Amino acid sequence: MRNSDNPRISSLGYALLSLLARRNRSGYEMSHSTSPPLDSLLWSAGHSQIYPELAKLADAGYVNFAAVAQARRPDKKVYRLSEAGSLALKSWVRQPPKPAPDRRELTVKAHAAWLIDPAEAAKVFRDQAERTRAEILEIGAYHDRLQTQSEETFPPRADEPMFGTYANAIYALDSRRQLVEWCLWVAEQFDTAIEVGRKSA
Amino acid sequence: MRNSDNPRISSLGYALLSLLARRNRSGYEMSHSTSPPLDSLLWSAGHSQIYPELAKLADAGYVNFAAVAQARRPDKKVYRLSEAGSLALKSWVRQPPKPAPDRRELTVKAHAAWLIDPAEAAKVFRDQAERTRAEILEIGAYHDRLQTQSEETFPPRADEPMFGTYANAIYALDSRRQLVEWCLWVAEQFDTAIEVGRKSA
DNA sequence: TAAGTCATGTAAAAAGTTACATGATTCT
DNA sequence: AGAATCATGTAACTTTTTACATGACTTA
């Protein structure tokens, strides 16, 4: 612990502490838990954000690390949650989350879609439905692997470490299924507008 | 149009162009369309981001503005979409949206909730359900006002200007209802964990 | 031989948040 | 008298994105 005047921990910082609360990991491994297709189960971030964030957490004493040499692989730094990190994380979890700002390009496109040809607009939303279906398959595949590989009960009980990942997978799947339905409904509305336009022409 | 080497327009920029495609507005008015409780119908942003963004759009020739003096009110700048802005917006709408990164503190808290007392964890999710219910009421109230004030058909047809706002309100309401259900389910899981803990104690 | 995985970083730019700043009018 | 609304901005900071940088080993 170099700098002990507890600097503020970012949301990403807490996400990393939460990963380390389950088991020790390298930055490389953590960056995979925050990148597609698994980012929806925790927090989205690229490796270029992870490495500096881990350095900050280590400097503040919330995590420690040890360099581990590997045969025919580059060395890695394996991080471990400190007592201070564990306390900070548990205290943060009890606080109400700050509201997630709504910032989806699809919403803006829906707002402006009346400006373009209805057939093209319908395509935008049907294509989105397709991409979202692909995401559902990827998250579903991860969920199935969870189930197969789990040594504990499945689904995990709420006091077991994997419960959060399970619950977040349920949420990610449900919200994407809902998005697919909505996209197809929007596309249908544009189809109807095409028909109406044809009649009045 | 001062600087015509078409600089890249941000997602926020397109959101502002989309507002101006419906009718002319001041920055002040647009900042209300991107702040709670209406931000979920377009794009979330504070006024300190809006004003510089409008200056950039004006400098690039995508919008124009006129200063309008008002009685017993400060002067305002009323912005208007230019032809270049309209073309840029329509061309952007046809492109597939960039995926919205998943970044919600609630997801991180679900991931880490096994670390704390199950009763406290249940409270975190029940409180979130309450706040989300309040959001549903606010968005629902706006939706009802839309319906009452609309001079056209309601619900709007897909080729009418207000269709996007209507569709986005439907999405915002549905996704929040789903979030409420999920939060209550998660809270129940922690309740069950409390009972199990009591039996084995 | 080219692409992919493992592994860690830095730099620069863009986007977003929070705070500072002003001032008249209107509502409680 | 104090708070809210109308109205526009800037400054400092934090967070996120994109690009640059390196290098061994493995698979197609």
Side-chain angles (χ1 to χ4, degrees), chain A residues 136-164:
Chain A
I136 290 173
L137 292 181
E138 286 186 301
I139 299 167
Y142 176 76
H143 181 264
D144 293 346
R145 253 176 287 141
L146 263 191
Q147 182 153 195
T148 312
Q149 293 169 1
S150 87
E151 288 141 16
E152 319 261 323
T153 56
F154 194 91
R157 268 186 296 128
D159 53 352
E160 287 175 333
M162 285 303 289
F163 174 74

Side-chain angles (χ1 to χ4, degrees), chain A residues 67-83:
Chain A
V68 172
Q70 298 181 110
R72 62 196 76 220
R73 284 269 166 269
D75 291 5
K76 62 180 172 179
K77 286 184 182 171
V78 174
Y79 288 86
R80 163 175 69 75
L81 190 63
S82 74
E83 198 53 40

Side-chain angles (χ1 to χ4, degrees), chain B residues 51-201:
Chain B
Y51 291 119
E53 188 65 35
L54 285 169
K56 268 174 64 182
L57 291 171
D59 191 58
Y62 296 118
V63 300
N64 300 295
F65 61 88
V68 173
Q70 298 181 110
R72 61 194 79 221
R73 286 269 164 268
D75 291 4
K76 61 178 173 181
K77 286 183 183 172
V78 175
Y79 288 85
R80 165 175 68 76
L81 190 62
S82 73
E83 198 53 41
S86 177
L87 285 172
L89 175 60
K90 284 190 268 188
S91 151
W92 175 80
V93 173
R94 290 182 205 117
Q95 305 301 128
K98 64 163 70 128
D102 269 297
R103 239 174 253 128
R104 301 174 323 115
E105 284 199 349
L106 192 63
T107 306
V108 182
K109 289 184 195 241
H111 192 270
W114 67 282
L115 293 164
I116 68 169
D117 172 42
E120 287 191 90
K123 187 176 183 302
V124 166
F125 291 92
R126 269 193 254 274
D127 288 352
Q128 180 64 50
E130 261 326 294
R131 282 189 300 271
T132 305
R133 279 209 187 102
E135 275 181 50
I136 290 173
L137 293 181
E138 286 186 300
I139 299 167
Y142 176 76
H143 182 265
D144 293 346
R145 252 175 289 143
L146 262 192
Q147 181 152 197
T148 311
Q149 293 169 0
S150 86
E151 288 140 18
E152 319 259 324
T153 58
F154 194 91
R157 268 188 295 127
D159 52 353
E160 287 175 333
M162 285 303 288
F163 173 74
T165 298
Y166 166 70
N168 286 332
I170 300 285
Y171 181 81
L173 288 169
D174 281 356
S175 58
R176 277 163 183 74
R177 283 188 203 111
Q178 197 222 271
L179 178 60
V180 169
E181 291 306 307
W182 181 81
C183 285
L184 296 179
W185 171 76
V186 169
E188 261 178 61
Q189 302 305 299
F190 283 105
D191 289 344
T192 307
I194 296 168
E195 285 161 37
V196 172
R198 214 164 266 155
K199 269 173 207 163
S200 67

Side-chain angles (χ1 to χ4, degrees), chain A residues 77-113:
Chain A
K77 286 184 182 171
V78 174
Y79 288 86
R80 163 175 69 75
L81 190 63
S82 74
E83 198 53 40
S86 176
L87 286 172
L89 175 60
K90 284 189 269 188
S91 151
W92 176 78
V93 173
R94 289 181 207 120
Q95 304 302 129
K98 65 162 70 126
D102 268 297
R103 238 174 252 128
R104 301 174 323 116
E105 284 198 349
L106 191 64
T107 306
V108 182
K109 288 180 196 244
H111 193 269

